[in-house]
Amino acid sequence: MEKQIIHTENAPKAIGPYSQAIKAGNMLFISGQVPFDPVTMEIVSQDVQEQTKRVLENLKAILEAANASFDNVVKTTVFIKDMDDFAKINEVYAEYFKDNKPARACVEVARLPRDVKVEIEAIAIVE
């Protein structure tokens, strides 16, 4: 099976030895996105809802680079620093996944890169 690296300047550069996404067959595996501005590579805000929006905009940019959209997403994993932020994160998340609600896992973790409050990875089906 052929695999293709997906990269866009409209999402943050990888901060380690990994790709923004890999397309393998008709599957797209998007690495966990954090709330970095793609230009400055800085955290957009300390507000969890603003962070969530930036994460989802980063995911959107990678999906678009693979000629896909949120409608193609079949699974997400949401990593959050504090489960008390669950409802606030869901409020923003629901704005992006209106009709297509993918399978999802959400876990609280001890720490995320650069101490952000949310990270989301995704799997999508693409052409």
Side-chain angles (χ1 to χ4, degrees), residues 27-72:
M27 302 295 294
L28 181 67
F29 300 89
I30 304 175
S31 295
Q33 294 299 300
V34 290
F36 294 168
D37 178 283
V39 175
T40 65
M41 291 297 291
E42 297 295 326
I43 300 169
V44 293
S45 168
Q46 287 304 313
D47 178 78
V48 73
Q49 288 188 309
E50 289 181 32
Q51 285 196 13
T52 304
K53 181 176 181 174
R54 181 73 257 167
V55 166
L56 289 161
E57 287 296 319
N58 292 342
L59 283 171
K60 180 180 176 183
I62 295 168
L63 285 162
E64 288 174 350
N67 297 313
S69 72
F70 284 110
D71 289 339
N72 298 89

Side-chain angles (χ1 to χ4, degrees), residues 4-127:
Q4 174 187 1
I5 294 172
I6 303 296
H7 174 79
T8 178
E9 295 297 321
N10 296 324
K13 296 177 285 208
I15 58 173
Y18 60 89
S19 299
Q20 288 175 331
I22 296 288
K23 181 181 175 191
N26 71 337
M27 302 295 294
L28 181 67
F29 300 89
I30 304 175
S31 295
Q33 294 299 300
V34 290
F36 294 168
D37 178 283
V39 175
T40 65
M41 291 297 291
E42 297 295 326
I43 300 169
V44 293
S45 168
Q46 287 304 313
D47 178 78
V48 73
Q49 288 188 309
E50 289 181 32
Q51 285 196 13
T52 304
K53 181 176 181 174
R54 181 73 257 167
V55 166
L56 289 161
E57 287 296 319
N58 292 342
L59 283 171
K60 180 180 176 183
I62 295 168
L63 285 162
E64 288 174 350
N67 297 313
S69 72
F70 284 110
D71 289 339
N72 298 89
V73 176
V74 295
K75 169 78 166 71
T76 63
T77 304
V78 181
F79 303 95
I80 62 177
K81 174 73 175 140
D82 185 347
M83 197 57 80
D84 289 339
D85 289 332
F86 186 74
K88 291 178 183 176
I89 291 167
N90 273 341
E91 193 175 307
V92 177
Y93 184 95
E95 294 173 13
Y96 289 81
F97 293 101
K98 295 179 191 238
D99 296 325
N100 172 47
K101 294 175 178 56
R104 182 178 88 171
C106 181
V107 294
E108 181 182 83
V109 295
R111 196 167 182 202
L112 290 165
R114 296 200 195 161
D115 295 314
V116 300
K117 297 179 180 183
V118 60
E119 177 176 350
I120 303 174
E121 65 179 17
I123 299 171
I125 297 176
V126 295
E127 295 295 324

